[in-house]
Amino acid sequence: MSANGSHDVVIVGAGPVGLALGRMLGLQGHEVLILERWPQPYPLPRAVHFDDEIGRVFQSMELTDEITAISDPVPDFYEWRNASGEALVRIDWSGTGPCGWPTASFFSQPELESMLAAAVERMDNVALRRGAEVVDIDDLGAEVVVTFTVDGQDTDTVRTCFVVGCDGANSFVRDRLGTASHDLGFFFDWLIVDTIPLDERQWSPMNWQLCDPVRPTTVVSGGPGRRRWEFMRLPGEDRDLLNTTERAWELLQPWGRTPENTRLERHAVYSFAARWP
Ligand SMILES: Cc1cc2nc3c(=O)[nH]c(=O)nc-3n(C[C@H](O)[C@H](O)[C@H](O)COP(=O)(O)OP(=O)(O)OC[C@H]3O[C@@H](n4cnc5c(N)ncnc54)[C@H](O)[C@@H]3O)c2cc1C
C-alpha cells in the first residue's frame, strides 16, 4: 500500500487471471491490492490445460520452475476417434510450440492457484486480501472508490486509480460497468469426473476424445498423478441424476476404473458456454 493509503490497481478476484495480473503488475513496480470474496482458495480441480503461449506467460512472470514442477507436458498426440476406434483427427501435441514451451501441458487448477498466490504473497507491493467481497465501485473520475465487505460483515473502502474485474464468469464488475458480452448461444452440459489413479497404468495417447454419439467422452490428464473423464449429458438425460457419485462410478466402470484402483476426487456437471467479454 502506498503512503497515502491507496493502490495503483485494485483487482477483483483471485482466480488464475486475477493472481496472474497481480503478479505481472507487481513485477512492474505497481502497488496492487487483490480482493477475493472467499476466505479460502477453491480446493477442487477445474481447468486442466495450457499451451506454449501460456507457458511463455508463466516465464514472463518468473515462474518457470514453479509451473514446470506442477504440470505434465504432453509427449504424444491428441486424437479424436469414432465409435469403432478409428482416428478421425490426430493433432501432434508433442514437442515444443512456437513460443518455446511444450505445445500442450496439463495441470491441476488448485495447485496452479496455490503457486500463483504464493508468488504474489512474496511481493511487498502486492497484497492479497481474502474474505473481501466487492459490493460497489464508484468512479469519481480522478480516482475510483471500491467498497467491499470484510468476512461477510463490516464494509470497508479503498481508493485506487484502476479497477480490473477478474471475477469470473458471473462477473460483478462487468455487471456494474454495464459492459456487453458476446454469446454464440452454443452450450452443453458435461459430467466432469476427476480421479486419482492408485495403480501404475500408462495412458496412451495421453489425451483423446471418443466421438461416439452413444456417449461422447473426453479422456485426458488432470495434471501430474490425475486423470479426468468428461461424459456429455445426452438429450433428455436428467442433470441431477447424472451428477451422482453412483452414476460417475457406473460411467467409469467400462474404462476399467473402480474404487479398488481409483480415488474419485470430484464430479460436477459443468456447462461450457461459447461466451466471452
Ligand atoms: C468442473 C469444472 C471444470 C472446468 N474445466 C475447465 C477446462 O477443462 N478448461 C478450462 O479452460 N476451464 C475449465 N473450467 C473453467 C475454469 O475453472 C475457469 O475458466 C477459470 O477458473 C477462470 O479463471 P478466472 O480467474 O477468470 O475466474 P475464476 O477462477 O472464476 O476466479 C474468479 C474469482 O473472483 C472471485 N469473485 C467473484 N466475484 C467477486 C467479488 N464481487 N468480489 C471479490 N471476489 C469475487 C471468485 O470468488 C473467484 O475466486 C472448469 C470449471 C469447472 C467448474
Side-chain angles (χ1 to χ4, degrees), residues 12-18 35-38 45-49 109 113 132-135 166-169 172 192 194 228 230 266 268 270:
V12 185
V17 174
L35 297 173
E36 164 57 47
R37 101 178 121 180
W38 300 120
R46 293 190 289 160
V48 291
H49 167 256
Q109 188 166 334
E113 290 184 20
E133 178 170 5
V134 172
V135 292
C166 299
D167 49 345
F172 164 78
I192 313 287
D194 286 295
R228 165 174 288 184
E230 299 179 1
R266 81 97 60 98
Y270 178 59

Side-chain angles (χ1 to χ4, degrees), residues 3-270:
N4 65 0
S6 67
H7 302 267
D8 298 329
V9 182
V10 168
I11 295 171
V12 185
V17 174
L19 292 169
L21 180 63
R23 173 76 178 172
M24 290 176 197
L25 291 173
L27 286 172
Q28 293 183 26
H30 299 292
E31 300 283 337
V32 180
L33 174 64
I34 306 173
L35 297 173
E36 164 57 47
R37 101 178 121 180
W38 300 120
Q40 300 295 331
Y42 187 69
L44 295 175
R46 293 190 289 160
V48 291
H49 167 256
F50 67 88
D51 65 10
D52 58 306
E53 188 177 3
I54 299 302
R56 197 174 181 86
V57 171
F58 282 112
Q59 182 180 349
S60 75
M61 289 190 277
E62 301 175 8
L63 296 172
T64 295
D65 292 344
E66 288 88 340
I67 189 65
T68 303
I70 60 164
S71 56
D72 260 349
V74 177
D76 50 20
F77 46 86
Y78 178 40
E79 195 162 84
W80 293 47
R81 298 177 183 166
N82 65 14
S84 314
E86 295 162 324
L88 301 172
V89 180
R90 179 178 280 193
I91 304 166
D92 184 5
W93 267 3
S94 64
T96 303
C99 289
W101 275 73
T103 304
S105 297
F106 280 75
F107 67 97
S108 169
Q109 188 166 334
E111 290 181 0
L112 181 115
E113 290 184 20
S114 163
M115 181 270 283
L116 285 170
V120 301
E121 280 166 343
R122 288 195 296 272
M123 305 177 89
D124 291 337
N125 54 333
V126 183
L128 169 57
R129 188 158 177 183
R130 298 190 186 274
E133 178 170 5
V134 172
V135 292
D136 198 15
I137 298 170
D138 200 6
D139 186 349
L140 305 179
E143 62 178 0
V144 186
V145 178
V146 179
T147 304
F148 56 96
T149 57
V150 182
D151 298 326
Q153 295 172 2
D154 303 333
T155 57
D156 202 348
T157 59
V158 64
R159 292 169 184 274
T160 183
C161 302
F162 297 96
V163 178
V164 186
C166 299
D167 49 345
N170 303 307
S171 165
F172 164 78
V173 176
R174 196 185 309 128
D175 281 354
R176 186 71 176 76
L177 297 179
T179 58
S181 63
H182 306 268
D183 189 345
L184 298 183
F186 180 68
F187 50 87
F188 280 93
D189 291 341
W190 290 69
L191 177 69
I192 313 287
V193 184
D194 286 295
T195 71
I196 299 180
L198 305 174
D199 54 4
E200 298 296 319
R201 178 161 167 192
Q202 299 299 307
W203 307 92
S204 180
M206 189 181 183
N207 307 289
W208 62 286
Q209 299 280 150
L210 174 60
C211 304
D212 181 356
V214 170
R215 176 71 75 183
T217 303
T218 302
V219 191
V220 292
S221 166
R226 289 183 161 85
R227 292 295 298 173
R228 165 174 288 184
W229 275 262
E230 299 179 1
F231 303 100
M232 198 182 91
R233 184 172 70 82
L234 302 176
E237 192 169 25
D238 186 274
R239 188 185 160 106
D240 293 333
L241 292 179
L242 179 64
N243 190 22
T244 63
T245 304
E246 188 184 17
R247 192 71 186 118
W249 281 120
E250 281 172 9
L251 289 164
L252 286 176
Q253 197 270 335
W255 298 89
R257 307 321 291 170
T258 65
E260 284 70 44
N261 60 23
T262 303
R263 184 154 80 77
L264 189 60
E265 196 174 21
R266 81 97 60 98
H267 59 83
V269 172
Y270 178 59

